[in-house]
């Protein structure tokens, strides 16, 4: 049985989608397209979709731009979460959080370990938090990681999270 506040979760969330990549284009971005498809199938609206180069300044600029846009209530980012020097998504957005949701990354790694990649999940970085009263999720860029994060974690809680943040909006 759902608690009262979960029953009042927002049914349609206005979302931004950001793919972090030095190589993907609109035509080759399977993960970004899959995120958009999953959001729309679940009844949410994709208000903006961008591909951003894996550079701290570019990532921060795009996230700040989207989080101040009153038409966007949530952002789902994918890519740039690995452990190579070029992967800077986590380092770019973490300092912008007013609140971090550590359970998101913890659960993502647990599910990755159990359902997908086993011990390689120790290198899997995922993070979520609040920036400018907007929920932001950052997940790895593989289609399998996107499917796992979206279906098991993000979609089940997206409306709930946005509903909680709406309490603070003026």
């Amino acid at each position: 049985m759902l608690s009262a506040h979960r029953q009042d979760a927002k049914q349609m969330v206005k979302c931004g989608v950001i793919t972090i990549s030095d190589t993907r284009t609109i035509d080759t971005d399977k993960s970004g397209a899959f995120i958009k498809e999953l959001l729309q199938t679940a009844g949410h609206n994709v208000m903006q979709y961008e591909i951003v180069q894996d550079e701290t300044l570019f990532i921060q600029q795009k996230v700040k731009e989207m989080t101040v846009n009153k038409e966007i209530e949530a952002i789902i980012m994918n890519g740039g979460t690995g452990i190579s020097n070029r992967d800077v998504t986590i380092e770019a957005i973490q300092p912008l959080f007013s609140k971090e949701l550590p359970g998101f990354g913890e659960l993502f790694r647990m599910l990755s370990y159990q359902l997908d990649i086993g011990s390689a999940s120790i290198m899997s970085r995922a993070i979520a938090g609040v920036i400018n009263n907007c929920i932001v999720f950052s997940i790895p860029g593989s289609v399998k990681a996107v499917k796992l994060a979206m279906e098991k974690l993000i979609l089940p809680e997206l409306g709930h999270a946005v509903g909680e943040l709406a309490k603070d909006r003026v």
Side-chain angles (χ1 to χ4, degrees):
M1 180 170 201
L2 291 177
S3 63
H5 69 279
R6 292 271 323 267
Q7 290 174 338
D8 294 333
K10 194 161 176 25
Q11 298 301 306
M12 188 281 297
V13 175
K14 297 178 283 188
C15 300
V17 176
I18 303 174
T19 293
I20 309 301
S21 177
D22 292 330
T23 58
R24 291 186 190 165
T25 66
I26 299 287
D27 294 330
T28 62
D29 182 19
K30 293 178 184 172
S31 293
F34 192 43
I35 292 169
K36 292 186 331 184
E37 176 187 328
L38 290 170
L39 286 168
Q40 291 164 340
T41 299
H44 304 296
N45 286 344
V46 177
M47 308 303 290
Q48 188 174 350
Y49 161 65
E50 303 280 343
I51 298 175
V52 175
Q53 193 174 2
D54 205 342
E55 296 284 346
T56 300
L57 183 60
F58 297 147
I59 295 167
Q60 288 178 336
Q61 286 175 336
K62 186 54 64 182
V63 169
K64 287 175 184 176
E65 173 190 310
M66 282 193 186
T67 60
V68 298
N69 180 345
K70 298 300 182 203
E71 290 296 311
I72 295 176
E73 300 168 300
I75 298 171
I76 295 96
M77 305 173 65
N78 76 96
T81 62
I83 62 170
S84 77
N85 285 335
R86 288 291 307 143
D87 295 315
V88 298
T89 301
I90 305 301
E91 291 75 16
I93 66 169
Q94 194 168 30
L96 303 178
F97 288 154
S98 58
K99 295 190 183 225
E100 187 171 336
L101 304 175
F104 176 75
E106 294 163 359
L107 285 171
F108 178 78
R109 281 180 289 283
M110 181 197 73
L111 291 168
S112 294
Y113 177 80
Q114 292 176 336
L115 303 175
D116 189 17
I117 58 175
S119 61
S121 64
I122 65 169
M123 293 181 280
S124 188
R125 301 191 313 152
I127 195 169
V130 177
I131 302 171
N132 293 325
N133 213 39
C134 180
I135 187 81
V136 179
F137 298 95
S138 180
I139 58 180
S142 77
V143 173
K144 287 175 77 176
V146 164
K147 179 176 175 48
L148 179 74
M150 292 295 291
E151 291 180 350
K152 299 288 187 187
L153 299 171
I154 296 172
L155 289 173
E157 293 300 327
L158 186 59
H160 181 202
V162 170
E164 287 295 305
L165 289 172
K167 294 175 182 179
D168 295 327
R169 287 198 182 100
V170 178

